[in-house]
Amino acid sequence: MKKGQIFEGTIEQVIFPNKGIVKAEERDVVVKNGVAGQKVKFMVQKVRKGKCEGQILEILQKADDEIEPQCPHFGICGGCTYQNLRYEDQLQMKAQQVKALMDGVCDSYEFEGIKGSPREFAYRNKMEFSFGDEYKDGPLALGMHKRGSFYDIVTVDHCRIVEEDFGKILRCVLEEARKLNLPYFHKLSHQGYFRHLLVRRGVKSGEILVDLVTSTQASPDLTAMKEALLSLKLDGTIKGILHTENDSLADVIQNDRTEILYGQDHFDEELLGLKFKISPFSFFQTNSLGAEVLYEKAREYVGTTKDKVIFDLYSGTGTIAQMLAPVAKKVIGVEIVEEAVEAAKENAKRNGLGNCEFIAGDVLKVIDEIEEKPDLIVLDPPRDGIHPKALEKIIAYQVEHMVYISCKPTSLARDLEVLQARGYEVKKICCVDLFPSTVHVECVVLLTKVHN
C-alpha cells in the first residue's frame, strides 16, 4: 500500500474520537469523519510503521441507520460529525467507544452507560466564530473552519447547535464588517483587522454578550455595528457589546485590551441553583443544562462530605467547589488561569459561601504550599489530562476517594493506568454527553483506595 492510492471499502467500526476503520489489501486503514456502515472511496495519505491513514473522497453508499442532517452546513463545516445519526445512536456509539477504552486499562468496574444532553440542538451557550474567506481572495466570511481546512471559513448562520440568536448576530456583524471594507487578519502574513466574534448566551437568563475581536491595525468607528446589533429582534437580551484587541501572532482569542461599546462586560447564569458571573473569557461549561447532569453525577460519586476537606483541582470558575461547599467543612480550588480564580472568588461571595478558598497557580506547584490535607479530591483537568509529576503528588495524599471528570477519554485512560498502579481501584464510570453531534464526550470516574 502506497501514499496516493485510491481504494473503496466499508467502514467497519468507529473508535474514539472519530477514527473509522476500513479494510484495504487486508490492512486496517483509519479514515476520519465517517460512520460505521458507510461504503466510501478514500485515498491513502500516510503509511508508516504498519499504520495506514486515509482521507474520505466520496461516500459511495450511506449506512443503513443514517438520517438526513438538520443543519444546512453539515459536512462542509468542521464543527459537527454525527448529525447524520439519530441521537440515540450517537449516545450508543460514544458509550461503546469509551467502554472499549476503559476495558483496555481497567480489570473490573461498574460501567453506568451514558447520560444524554437535555437538549440535542441549541445547547451551546458560547461560540467563537472566525473571520476569513470561503475560498482564496473570496468575499469576507464569518463562521467556522471548513472541514479539513486550516484557512477556509464557512459562514454558519444557520448552525443548529446554538440558539437562533447566534445566527442573527453573526449575520449582522458580518454585514456591518463588510461595509467597513477592512480585511480579515491573515494567519501567514499577520496583516489585517477582523479576527473573531465571540458570542455567549445564558441558557437560564437569556442574557447575551457580543465581543468583536480585532487587531490594532485599523481603528474604524464601530458605532454603526453596535446600533445594528441593538436593533436586532432577538429571543434573548443583549447585556453587553465589547471590542477586544488582540495582536497575538497565534490563531487564538487573546485579550490584550477590551473596550465596552454598550452595557456591561458580563452576564449572569444559573447552574444547580447557584449564580455565576460570566465574562467573555470566563471558563464555563458550554452546555449549561448538560453541565447540571454532569455535576449531579459527580456529586453522587462524591457522596457524604460532612466535616470533610475537599480539594477541587483544576477548578476553573469554581463550579464544582461551590456545589460541594454547602455540605463540606472546606473546599480548596486550584486553577492556573488567574481570571478564572478571581471569578470563582466573586461567585462564591455572591452565593454566600464562606468555606471556599481559591488559589491561582499550577497544581504541580501549588499543592506543595497548601497546609490542609484533603479527605477527598475532585479532578477536572484540561483535555491532555494530569501532568505525571502532579499526579504522583495527588496520589501521595492517599485519600480514600477521588472523583475524576474528564473531557478526553484517551487522556483519562492513561491517567487511570497510573492511579491503579499506585493503589487505587476504579469503582464506577459514567459518560455524560455535553456535545451532541460532535465526537466529544465527558466521563466521570469514582476511584477508591485499595487496602491490602
Side-chain angles (χ1 to χ4, degrees):
M1 185 173 288
K2 296 180 181 178
K3 181 179 178 181
Q5 284 186 291
I6 295 176
F7 295 93
E8 295 180 5
T10 300
I11 298 176
E12 297 181 354
Q13 64 170 322
V14 179
I15 60 177
F16 184 85
N18 62 335
K19 298 178 180 178
I21 308 299
V22 57
K23 287 193 179 296
E25 294 189 345
E26 299 183 354
R27 302 181 72 171
D28 287 344
V29 182
V30 173
V31 294
K32 292 185 177 181
N33 301 318
V35 300
Q38 286 179 334
K39 185 177 180 181
V40 298
K41 178 188 286 186
F42 64 95
M43 179 174 66
V44 178
Q45 287 185 310
K46 293 180 183 179
V47 181
R48 51 177 147 180
K49 295 182 179 179
K51 294 184 178 180
C52 304
E53 296 179 19
Q55 179 184 3
I56 295 176
L57 302 176
E58 183 182 354
I59 307 295
L60 301 173
Q61 184 177 323
K62 290 185 177 182
D64 292 339
D65 55 0
E66 274 192 79
I67 61 172
E68 196 65 31
Q70 293 193 26
C71 181
H73 312 296
F74 180 77
I76 304 169
C77 165
C80 292
T81 306
Y82 298 129
Q83 266 195 36
N84 54 340
L85 292 178
R86 287 184 296 271
Y87 190 47
E88 296 76 13
D89 294 335
Q90 293 181 37
L91 292 175
Q92 183 180 8
M93 177 183 63
K94 290 182 180 183
Q96 289 173 345
Q97 289 176 346
V98 172
K99 189 173 187 304
L101 279 170
M102 298 304 112
D103 285 350
V105 298
C106 304
D107 292 332
S108 63
Y109 65 100
E110 181 183 350
F111 184 68
E112 295 191 323
I114 187 167
K115 289 181 173 291
S117 169
R119 287 186 184 176
E120 179 184 353
F121 296 106
Y123 63 84
R124 284 190 66 96
N125 57 37
K126 174 186 176 184
M127 288 294 278
E128 297 174 355
F129 299 114
S130 299
F131 283 94
D133 48 25
E134 295 202 16
Y135 53 88
K136 188 171 170 48
D137 299 325
L140 185 67
L142 174 60
M144 305 293 288
H145 284 276
K146 187 176 180 180
R147 178 176 285 182
S149 174
F150 183 66
Y151 298 102
D152 299 340
I153 298 297
V154 181
T155 297
V156 290
D157 53 343
H158 292 92
C159 174
R160 290 302 312 279
I161 62 174
V162 290
E163 297 275 5
E164 290 184 8
D165 285 352
F166 284 76
K168 293 176 182 178
I169 291 168
L170 183 151
R171 285 192 294 271
C172 177
V173 170
L174 178 57
E175 183 178 333
E176 294 300 318
R178 284 174 173 170
K179 290 178 183 177
L180 291 170
N181 199 30
L182 289 169
Y184 69 88
F185 186 85
H186 290 254
K187 295 176 186 177
L188 289 178
S189 67
H190 303 130
Q191 297 296 308
Y193 181 67
F194 292 111
R195 300 196 67 161
H196 297 94
L197 172 67
L198 175 60
V199 183
R200 303 191 79 151
R201 184 185 190 277
V203 173
K204 303 282 183 70
S205 66
E207 297 179 348
I208 301 169
L209 275 187
V210 181
D211 191 359
L212 178 70
V213 184
T214 73
S215 72
T216 58
Q217 295 178 29
S219 54
D221 186 352
L222 298 175
T223 303
M225 183 179 292
K226 177 190 71 175
E227 296 300 331
L229 284 167
L230 291 174
S231 68
L232 289 174
K233 293 183 179 179
L234 304 172
D235 291 331
T237 305
I238 293 180
K239 299 297 287 187
I241 300 174
L242 314 176
H243 174 212
T244 292
E245 293 176 348
N246 171 20
D247 282 326
S248 168
L249 299 183
D251 185 31
V252 295
I253 297 182
Q254 177 177 301
N255 180 15
D256 293 342
R257 174 181 170 273
T258 293
E259 175 189 6
I260 299 175
L261 303 179
Y262 166 81
Q264 58 196 40
D265 64 353
H266 65 276
F267 68 92
D268 292 324
E269 181 62 314
E270 185 180 312
L271 203 66
L272 293 171
L274 298 169
K275 293 191 179 298
F276 293 90
K277 175 183 173 183
I278 309 297
S279 66
F281 302 98
S282 296
F283 172 79
F284 196 74
Q285 288 284 4
T286 53
N287 181 343
S288 299
L289 300 180
E292 291 188 324
V293 177
L294 176 71
Y295 294 144
E296 286 282 16
K297 175 54 68 172
R299 185 154 60 184
E300 176 191 321
Y301 280 5
V302 165
T304 304
T305 56
K306 185 180 179 182
D307 298 325
K308 288 185 178 179
V309 174
I310 302 171
F311 280 9
D312 178 14
L313 305 182
Y314 313 95
S315 56
T317 50
T319 311
I320 297 173
Q322 293 174 70
M323 179 182 69
L324 299 175
V327 287
K329 180 180 179 181
K330 184 176 183 180
V331 184
I332 299 174
V334 180
E335 168 60 47
I336 197 168
V337 180
E338 290 188 15
E339 184 186 11
V341 172
E342 291 307 311
K345 290 177 180 178
E346 184 173 343
N347 288 329
K349 187 176 180 180
R350 296 175 80 196
N351 288 310
L353 300 171
N355 61 336
C356 289
E357 179 183 352
F358 295 100
I359 304 170
D362 188 343
V363 168
L364 177 61
K365 299 175 182 177
V366 168
I367 56 178
D368 291 334
E369 303 164 6
I370 302 175
E371 293 183 3
E372 291 97 335
K373 300 299 180 187
D375 299 301
L376 184 145
I377 296 176
V378 178
L379 305 162
D380 190 4
R383 291 185 59 77
D384 291 336
I386 303 171
H387 188 288
K389 290 182 179 179
L391 188 55
E392 291 296 340
K393 290 183 178 181
I394 291 165
I395 292 168
Y397 282 117
Q398 294 290 290
V399 294
E400 287 295 319
H401 303 288
M402 293 189 202
V403 175
Y404 192 139
I405 301 171
S406 170
C407 59
K408 188 177 180 181
T410 47
S411 299
L412 172 64
R414 181 202 65 214
D415 289 345
L416 289 184
E417 281 194 277
V418 177
L419 285 159
Q420 289 175 108
R422 299 293 188 275
Y424 281 88
E425 178 184 7
V426 176
K427 301 293 287 185
K428 295 180 181 181
I429 299 177
C430 184
C431 305
V432 181
D433 186 29
L434 264 60
F435 315 101
S437 299
T438 77
V439 303
H440 307 292
V441 63
E442 297 265 345
C443 299
V444 190
V445 182
L446 173 61
L447 297 114
T448 302
K449 186 162 178 8
V450 176
H451 295 280
N452 294 328

